[in-house]
Amino acid sequence: MPYINSKVSVKITKEQETEIKTALGEAIRVIPGKSEQWLMLGFEDSVSMYFRGDNSQPIAFVEVSIYGGENPSAFDSLTAKICEIYNKVLGIAPDHVYVKYNAVSNWGWNGGNL
């Protein structure tokens, strides 16, 4: 049950959104037991954001919520893939991307909790 929400300072076209969606669907597999089958995505574009007191460069804040325990090595691998995807598709430099992880022990779905 992963959920990835992206806030970016640039406009995302439908084509770019599809490209990111596909790439994140592949990338989520670096976390054991996770796949695109259960992946939910959210995109917020053209967000007014500042990094280091500046907003002249494209910026991204990506929040990854994962049902289950923390997996630092898998999270590290996913961070690398996320930075690569956002750089390739949106031109956001990896040093302008923050990735936040939330390991969640309670997750509701289909009228109940897992």
Side-chain angles (χ1 to χ4, degrees), residues 2-107:
Y3 173 65
I4 300 175
N5 189 54
S6 303
K7 292 181 182 184
V8 298
S9 64
V10 297
K11 178 74 178 145
I12 302 174
T13 67
K14 282 297 179 191
E15 293 80 16
Q16 289 171 320
E17 186 175 291
T18 299
E19 188 174 353
I20 295 168
K21 175 207 69 83
T22 301
L24 290 174
E26 292 286 323
I28 198 65
R29 292 190 285 162
V30 303
I31 299 178
K34 306 304 178 192
S35 70
E36 186 177 22
Q37 179 181 357
W38 294 101
L39 177 61
M40 183 180 283
L41 299 169
F43 295 99
E44 300 175 49
D45 67 351
S46 302
V47 176
S48 179
M49 296 171 38
Y50 289 79
F51 184 60
R52 299 181 185 131
D54 182 40
N55 69 349
S56 65
Q57 300 294 316
I59 303 165
F61 178 73
V62 182
E63 192 165 13
V64 181
S65 297
I66 301 285
Y67 175 68
E70 294 185 7
N71 186 329
S73 65
F75 290 176
D76 191 53
S77 295
L78 184 56
T79 296
K81 289 183 179 294
I82 287 170
C83 287
E84 180 182 312
I85 292 164
Y86 284 71
N87 188 22
K88 177 183 174 224
V89 179
L90 299 175
I92 301 174
D95 69 345
H96 280 68
V97 177
Y98 272 172
V99 182
K100 176 185 175 189
Y101 290 91
N102 298 309
V104 180
S105 59
N106 294 291
W107 199 285

